[in-house]
Amino acid sequence: MRALPLFLCAALAAPSQTIYSLEEYVGTDFAGDGKPALLAPILQPQGLAGDRDGSILVADAADNRVRRITPDGIIHTVTTDLKEPYGVAVGPNREVYIADLGNRRVRLVTADGAARTFVSGDLQQPRNVAVDANGVVYVSDFSANKVYRVTPDGAMQVMAAGELKGPAGLAVDASGALFIADSGNNCVRKLINGQVTTVLADFGIVTSIALDRTGRLYAAGGDRIAVVSPNGEISVINTPAEEVAIDSNGRILTVAYKQVRSHFATVTTILAGSRQGIFAGDGGPPTEWRFHRPTGLARDAGGNLYIADSGNGRVRKISTEDELSTITTLEQAAYFTFDMNNILHVTDSKAGIVYKRDRAGKLHVFTRGSGAKPFRNPSGLGFDFIGDLFVADTGNNLIRKVTPDGIVSTVAGGGTSDQDGFGLGIALKAPIGLAVAPDGTVWFTETGKLRKLGRDGRITTVKDVPLVDPRGLRIEPSGSILVADAGTHRVSQSEPEGRWKVLAEKPLNGPTDILLEPDGSILVADSLNARIRRLVPTKGAAPITLASLRILHAGTDKEGPIAPGQVAYVDSDDRLPEKGVRVLFGPNNAEILSVEPHRITLIVPPTTTLGLTEVIVADDIGPLAIASVEVKASAPALIGTIRNEDGTPNSPDAPALRTSPVTFSLTGEGIAAQPVIIVSIGGIEAEV
């Protein structure tokens, strides 16, 4: 479990601040390389192509990689520098062309493994590729409704447009005829000598086509394959096929049920894919532990860690001996809690059920909600001190209570008001995270909000909390609230008195839950990165030693909003260190221009996140002071003085002559701005 040298994060904890480092904990990108392809985790196989050596290329769109299956059944990764690759084709020199749809480009991987961008530019959604014997590449642009011809030197021209709708699969024959899967029009077109004809119509949505050596066309129709002979005769092969290709041995290759299959005569053989998506690792070493959209986290009294492996439909356990196993399969495991007897409860969001695990380790239905209003997508849950279970009934926009004898009632939501007040009179919006404080207060998150439901039935919203899609929620022993916000990709902390601090952001991607550990660390379900990460307190965190800290706009010399990339000042009444000083805006180090006894002049990091941002001043030993500043996309102001042509400051005693040039500086435009500067002097526009 490797520590990543990514950034430092801070949260106030008077009289000192706790500094965290972000580490990887569990979860890998293990793809089964070098092992049998039948065991490989493949999430979304798309494009298929056969190579001359008998190997098979397959693009895994959801795993952002292209794989090669060698004739001996072993799988390897060709390249991972991709985003949603769909089409793949092999050129005359065994180079591999990839329709890198998410990156809006076509990638080229040579036979020796070197990768580069072959063409990008005007492409919107490159869906598939085909290559002829001369190395000319054809690219279908799905959303642009175009097919391009690209010569080996990268010159592009439009081959077909207008009549196409969602062009996808491509194939080119020895005569140069180009076949196009016109998916939006439910047909296959043929383009030759500028003439377009239809060779297959009304067969359903066809996104993949292939040609064999005899010129027969194969079109994948989802639950069957159409075969069109050179003279136009049509027959059908009744086999599931989302994709189709022909390999060098003449076998028909298909994708179905997340597997790559071959068909020869009457024999169907599975070549790759475990039918379990990107699930891997049970019983194996940690380097092979792979999850898919993990959501909830929990640890029992014995120290075992439970992970809701939502995308794989499993509840998985990491034992104290570091052994990974699946304890049950659910439709969509979501979140956990324990009752006062340390009995695990888990929500199955898709099934609308809260399960209870018995002493023997088996799950039983605890509640489905009430008969009149069953749960819809239940998520966060927690017990209070008298044994009542509270559930965030996300799909019904309610907070529900389940008594120990199973009686279900609604305690918040279902009303019409968007203001704080009596819980049953308020309209909630997709509550997800939920935690119960020791005093019985129910804290919960809904879209863009952190709220609490008191024992008196009233709801209060925490003000000025910059949340977008908050999910997981935990209460620290100090009373602070931790929130995992999948919308801002942050883990943040809200103190009871209202201060709000970011503990971690990059490289988090869609965090959904947090778990407080006995050693003071914090586990984070980094859902879209398929990881569980850990925030670890840095030992010997230094106390705050500067009495004051102010972030000033360099143009106004006042506190107020600043913009990424601008010049700003950090001022302190105390004397600043002369050496080793650095300033962090969130996780980003600022470029320091100068350090004076009480002022640091710097450039706000261009990557600073908009909104309320934490600023830390530190030296070689550790952090010295902390403050917050509002960051906006643009906050322009003049900086310094206007200077005359000879460089002297402009003033009543040193005026500028008419028609003479003067110089001034502007800061705070923001990195995204491309301003058109207009200057007027005395109401008359000046030449800039």
Side-chain angles (χ1 to χ4, degrees):
M1 298 175 185
R2 179 171 57 90
L4 296 178
L6 294 171
F7 57 85
L8 296 178
C9 310
L12 284 182
S16 64
Q17 59 184 13
T18 303
I19 305 299
Y20 292 91
S21 63
L22 188 66
E23 297 180 354
E24 288 198 7
Y25 187 61
V26 293
T28 69
D29 290 325
F30 173 74
D33 287 342
K35 296 189 176 185
L38 284 172
L39 303 178
I42 299 177
L43 181 59
Q44 188 184 350
Q46 288 291 341
L48 291 172
D51 200 351
R52 291 200 301 270
D53 66 350
S55 61
I56 299 166
L57 283 300
V58 55
D60 191 342
D63 208 15
N64 301 315
R65 63 180 69 211
V66 169
R67 320 296 299 278
R68 180 185 292 273
I69 305 163
T70 54
D72 58 359
I74 303 301
I75 197 165
H76 306 273
T77 293
V78 175
T79 184
T80 58
D81 185 23
L82 306 168
K83 184 179 180 182
E84 295 181 280
Y86 270 73
V88 61
V90 179
N93 297 314
R94 296 191 60 208
E95 68 273 28
V96 178
Y97 295 87
I98 304 162
D100 190 3
L101 184 145
N103 286 317
R104 301 169 63 178
R105 63 186 180 178
V106 174
R107 293 285 282 174
L108 168 63
V109 183
T110 60
D112 61 3
R116 63 180 175 87
T117 296
F118 176 65
V119 67
S120 55
D122 296 330
L123 297 175
Q124 295 181 23
Q125 283 188 315
R127 176 65 164 74
N128 285 83
V129 285
V131 190
D132 68 15
N134 299 314
V136 175
V137 179
Y138 300 88
V139 184
S140 61
D141 194 330
F142 191 81
S143 62
N145 300 318
K146 295 178 181 179
V147 173
Y148 292 94
R149 181 181 186 270
V150 189
T151 57
D153 61 2
M156 290 176 59
Q157 69 177 100
V158 176
M159 288 288 291
E163 67 272 20
L164 301 177
K165 185 178 180 182
L170 301 172
V172 59
D173 69 11
S175 69
L178 179 66
F179 295 83
I180 305 167
D182 191 357
S183 67
N185 289 313
N186 297 332
C187 65
V188 177
R189 314 275 195 183
K190 179 180 179 181
L191 172 63
I192 188 168
N193 298 325
Q195 300 296 314
V196 177
T197 57
T198 299
V199 297
L200 179 67
D202 301 324
F203 190 70
I205 299 175
V206 176
T207 57
S208 179
I209 56 176
L211 291 167
D212 68 12
R213 294 172 183 170
T214 68
R216 284 181 294 189
L217 176 74
Y218 298 79
D223 59 350
R224 54 190 176 150
I225 300 172
V227 183
V228 184
S229 69
N231 61 11
E233 295 178 353
I234 299 174
S235 58
V236 174
I237 301 174
N238 289 306
T239 188
E242 300 161 20
E243 297 284 325
V244 65
I246 307 297
D247 73 359
S248 59
N249 298 313
R251 296 180 301 177
I252 302 170
L253 305 176
T254 63
V255 166
Y257 307 114
K258 298 182 180 180
Q259 295 174 325
V260 178
R261 303 176 171 198
S262 74
H263 309 268
F264 191 78
T266 59
V267 178
T268 297
T269 305
I270 298 172
L271 301 178
S274 65
R275 295 189 69 173
Q276 295 178 337
I278 53 175
F279 164 81
D282 278 6
T287 54
E288 297 181 4
W289 294 357
R290 189 150 191 195
F291 307 96
H292 185 201
R293 296 199 309 273
T295 52
L297 301 171
R299 195 180 290 278
D300 65 19
N304 301 299
L305 177 66
Y306 296 86
I307 300 170
D309 193 0
S310 178
N312 284 317
R314 295 167 179 259
V315 174
R316 303 175 80 179
K317 182 180 78 172
I318 301 175
S319 71
T320 53
E321 289 78 29
D322 282 337
E323 295 177 350
L324 177 66
S325 62
T326 295
I327 66 169
T328 191
T329 57
L330 299 176
E331 291 189 56
Q332 191 170 321
Y335 289 90
F336 302 105
T337 194
F338 289 93
D339 65 14
M340 291 180 290
N341 296 313
N342 200 38
I343 299 298
L344 182 72
H345 292 66
V346 57
T347 48
D348 186 333
S349 182
K350 191 172 182 179
I353 298 172
V354 177
Y355 286 97
K356 176 180 179 180
R357 192 178 189 221
D358 64 22
R359 296 291 185 186
K362 295 186 178 297
L363 288 185
H364 304 277
V365 174
F366 179 68
T367 179
R368 299 175 182 268
S370 63
K373 188 177 285 294
F375 290 142
R376 290 179 57 211
N377 306 115
S379 47
L381 69 174
F383 283 93
D384 69 5
F385 55 84
I386 61 175
D388 290 335
L389 175 67
F390 292 84
V391 182
D393 190 357
T394 308
N396 284 319
N397 300 308
L398 302 172
I399 302 296
R400 315 288 290 278
K401 183 176 77 172
V402 186
T403 63
D405 54 2
I407 297 175
V408 181
S409 61
T410 297
V411 294
T416 58
S417 174
D418 60 357
Q419 302 298 316
D420 289 354
F422 184 59
L424 293 177
I426 293 177
L428 302 182
K429 188 175 181 181
I432 293 182
L434 188 145
V436 183
D439 65 357
T441 300
V442 178
W443 291 81
F444 64 94
T445 61
E446 60 173 314
T447 303
K449 295 180 180 179
L450 170 63
R451 311 183 93 169
K452 62 180 179 179
L453 172 67
R455 298 294 292 182
D456 60 358
R458 298 186 65 82
I459 285 179
T460 305
T461 302
V462 178
K463 303 297 184 183
D464 302 321
V465 179
L467 299 173
V468 175
D469 184 17
R471 302 291 183 93
L473 183 66
R474 301 285 173 170
I475 303 172
E476 293 186 296
S478 65
S480 298
I481 307 298
L482 294 177
V483 180
D485 189 352
T488 60
H489 312 295
R490 291 174 171 176
V491 172
S492 301
Q493 178 192 54
S494 178
E495 297 287 347
E497 57 269 32
R499 291 176 297 179
W500 185 254
K501 303 297 176 185
V502 175
L503 301 189
E505 42 186 3
K506 298 176 182 179
L508 297 177
N509 189 6
T512 55
D513 201 11
I514 53 264
L515 179 64
L516 303 174
E517 294 280 77
D519 63 359
S521 64
I522 303 168
L523 297 186
V524 183
D526 190 5
S527 184
L528 298 183
N529 281 324
R531 297 286 199 278
I532 309 301
R533 300 191 191 271
R534 183 170 64 172
L535 283 166
V536 181
T538 301
K539 294 181 179 179
I544 296 174
T545 56
L546 297 180
S548 64
L549 199 66
R550 295 178 298 277
I551 316 301
L552 308 178
H553 192 294
T556 65
D557 208 25
K558 295 179 180 179
E559 292 182 277
I562 59 175
Q566 79 158 76
V567 179
Y569 303 133
V570 174
D571 278 13
S572 176
D573 293 336
D574 293 320
R575 189 176 183 87
L576 293 164
E578 296 180 1
K579 296 181 180 180
V581 66
R582 57 197 182 99
V583 182
L584 293 89
F585 284 71
N588 306 298
N589 276 293
E591 179 184 349
I592 294 178
L593 302 178
S594 66
V595 179
E596 302 171 45
H598 298 280
R599 168 168 288 189
I600 301 170
T601 304
L602 52 79
I603 296 177
V604 179
T607 53
T608 301
T609 304
L610 302 184
L612 194 64
T613 298
E614 191 173 70
V615 180
I616 299 174
V617 175
D619 61 10
D620 293 336
I621 298 175
L624 301 171
I626 189 169
S628 294
V629 66
E630 183 181 4
V631 181
K632 291 187 174 181
S634 178
L638 292 176
I639 180 172
T641 58
I642 298 176
R643 294 191 174 273
N644 297 325
E645 184 176 10
D646 61 0
T648 60
N650 181 272
S651 70
D653 296 328
L657 299 176
R658 289 182 179 178
T659 73
S660 68
V662 294
T663 304
F664 64 88
S665 298
L666 181 73
T667 191
E669 304 98 312
I671 60 171
Q674 295 180 339
V676 176
I677 304 297
I678 299 173
V679 179
S680 64
I681 300 175
I684 301 173
E685 187 171 323
E687 179 183 354
V688 177

